[in-house]
Amino acid sequence: MNTPAKSNPARPQYHVQVGAYRNAEEARRRLEIVHRKAAQFLQGHPAVTKQVTVKNKNYFRARFAEFSKDAALKTCDKLKKLSFDCLVM
């Protein structure tokens, strides 16, 4: 009897955004600062920057990726307690 191959579950798709900046270097600096002060909440979640254009202006969103929805919400709450602004995306 053949059994179907198990597929790998998709990676969690939620992000925790900690800022949006006019250049990539500022976004990376913010990610480093947040990670340094909240590493225990962010382990295993890659730091990413995402470039977007809004009204003909480029911005770089600073985010931590690969959260489940629940984990992203909890992490953002913890970051807010450390005085970091954040959004779940």
Side-chain angles (χ1 to χ4, degrees):
M1 176 189 291
N2 290 338
T3 56
K6 292 183 181 180
S7 61
N8 291 334
R11 288 185 177 174
Q13 295 300 310
Y14 286 85
H15 292 193
V16 175
Q17 183 170 308
V18 294
Y21 301 90
R22 290 301 311 257
N23 67 61
E25 184 57 35
E26 287 180 80
R28 282 191 288 274
R29 271 188 260 139
R30 184 61 171 176
L31 289 166
E32 289 172 8
I33 290 167
V34 174
H35 190 269
R36 198 175 322 126
K37 296 195 179 204
Q40 69 271 25
F41 309 133
L42 301 169
Q43 286 182 336
H45 300 283
V48 296
T49 58
K50 181 175 180 173
Q51 183 177 353
V52 296
T53 303
V54 179
K55 296 183 181 180
N56 295 322
K57 293 182 182 179
N58 289 325
Y59 293 92
F60 294 84
R61 294 176 175 166
R63 296 178 172 182
F64 292 93
E66 298 181 7
F67 287 90
S68 67
K69 183 178 181 180
D70 187 53
L73 291 167
K74 287 178 182 177
T75 298
C76 193
D77 286 343
K78 291 174 184 176
L79 290 173
K80 286 178 181 178
K81 289 178 183 174
L82 294 174
S83 300
F84 289 114
D85 291 331
C86 59
L87 299 168
V88 173
M89 310 299 282

